[in-house]
Amino acid sequence: SRRDVSGNVGKTMRKHIHLLFTLLICLTSWSQNKPGSLEESINYFEKNWTNNAKNVFKSKPENDAVTELHMTVGMWIRNSWIRHGNDSLKKQFHKIGVYHPDDISSIILTSLHRKLNNKEIKLEEQAKHYIDYWKPIIEQDEKSAKIAVEHYNNHKVGDTINIFYPVDRKDNYANAVIYEYNNEWVFDPKKDLKITGVITKKFYLNSETNVFFELKILEKNFPNIPVLMQKMEIGEVYDFHLDKLRIE
């Protein structure tokens, strides 16, 4: 019956909530302990989680188990152990090419799941997955930074330039955005934004590759469309970060 289904759903939800609180209480109780390696991290969970918590975690498919804890236990790992923890733990992961806190916490939870299920951890294989994921992104970022510096060096104060933005149009709202890794994007004057302006200042922040133009806007093909949710008026001066901008 509908009441039975509703009751079962409610019971399942209460079970998950109880488990979550159990996990977080266990974590809080030994939050001052900072593991210095993957092995120590796994040992902490094995020692401090209740048998019920461990059984629930290990009985789920690996990806589901890790994903479900990403914003709870995973966030606790990132804040307590990675951002404010023992540097030895981070160094172990950095040596194998894993740097992002999200990736480190996922590897810790995946390794725990595998050990509880008497499976090989395969740390190098896990690391390769994240290295392969980040490689094209890093390469694209380096390429984009190089192009930004070229624009910075090839233009001078007083030059007039055009900047092109794709426009995201959803729910009767239009906003100019940046397609970070879409080199195939083609400007469409009927729907996309073109800004024409004169460079009034050039500068960089913290690094000579983090470059900016101060631009006085002369013309916009769609005057009322904001850029990255910032309203920009013709005749006013604004800062433009050159990284990933389409400039001519």
Side-chain angles (χ1 to χ4, degrees), residues 93 98-108 130 133-134:
F93 283 96
V98 179
Y99 298 91
H100 200 289
D102 284 0
D103 301 342
I104 297 174
S105 66
S106 292
I107 288 177
I108 290 173
Y130 293 105
Y133 170 82
W134 285 108

Side-chain angles (χ1 to χ4, degrees), residues 46-58:
E46 289 184 305
K47 178 181 178 181
N48 290 278
W49 269 5
T50 64
N51 288 332
N52 180 57
K54 286 183 282 191
N55 287 332
V56 171
F57 177 70
K58 78 175 188 178

Side-chain angles (χ1 to χ4, degrees), residues 19-41:
L19 174 62
L20 177 59
F21 275 105
T22 299
L23 296 177
L24 292 179
I25 288 170
C26 289
L27 291 173
T28 304
S29 68
W30 39 267
S31 60
Q32 298 305 313
N33 297 318
K34 307 293 185 179
S37 68
L38 174 61
E39 182 179 3
E40 289 181 6
S41 301

Side-chain angles (χ1 to χ4, degrees), residues 172-212:
N172 297 318
Y173 178 76
N175 178 45
V177 297
I178 294 174
Y179 287 163
E180 295 194 31
Y181 307 115
N182 186 358
N183 295 324
E184 310 243 340
W185 172 67
V186 177
F187 174 73
D188 183 345
K190 295 181 180 179
K191 65 177 184 178
D192 294 323
L193 180 65
K194 174 184 175 183
I195 293 179
T196 302
V198 58
I199 300 172
T200 57
K201 183 180 178 182
K202 297 168 54 177
F203 63 98
Y204 60 84
L205 295 176
N206 301 323
S207 166
E208 293 184 3
T209 61
N210 189 30
V211 288
F212 294 76

